[in-house]
Amino acid sequence: MAKTDRLMLHALFQDTPPQFGILIPKRLAKRAVDRNALKRLIRNACHDTLGNYQGKFLVRLSKPVKAVGHSDRAAWWTELQQLFSDLARRAPSQR
């Protein structure tokens, strides 16, 4: 498991193609616009970064979010990269 301030990444390393899950609860991100924006950002980051690993991965929001504006997306992207770099240090091996 890797964790940042607002996100958590659970990983189960197996000999399977990479599978990604995204969990953005409605109680933590009230507006559908914000939930969808976060899902798009997370999905793009997962495909860019986690495609080299084998296993199952779940990224979930752990703290409430008020709004995800265009100016906040760079901060979210940086936080996702931190999350994946933390996972890379803990990963057993890459392909």
Side-chain angles (χ1 to χ4, degrees):
M1 179 174 74
K3 186 176 181 180
T4 62
D5 187 37
R6 301 177 283 191
L7 297 170
M8 294 181 76
L9 173 63
H10 301 274
L12 180 61
F13 296 101
Q14 297 177 335
D15 290 333
T16 61
Q19 296 176 347
F20 311 109
I22 302 169
L23 183 62
I24 309 291
K26 189 174 182 179
R27 66 184 171 90
L28 296 180
K30 299 286 185 193
R31 297 179 350 152
V33 173
D34 296 331
R35 289 193 305 273
N36 290 332
L38 283 175
K39 287 178 188 178
R40 280 192 301 273
L41 278 169
I42 293 169
R43 190 177 304 117
N44 288 335
C46 284
H47 285 291
D48 288 349
T49 308
L50 296 178
N52 298 330
Y53 296 100
Q54 293 182 342
K56 298 179 182 181
F57 305 95
L58 175 69
V59 179
R60 70 181 182 99
L61 184 65
S62 59
K63 289 190 178 178
V65 174
K66 298 231 183 221
V68 180
H70 289 288
S71 60
D72 298 333
R73 292 180 189 203
W76 280 100
W77 189 261
T78 303
E79 189 168 340
L80 284 164
Q81 295 309 312
Q82 275 183 327
L83 192 69
F84 297 140
S85 66
D86 188 28
L87 178 72
R89 282 181 267 152
R90 299 175 187 208
S93 65
Q94 292 185 3
R95 274 193 214 183

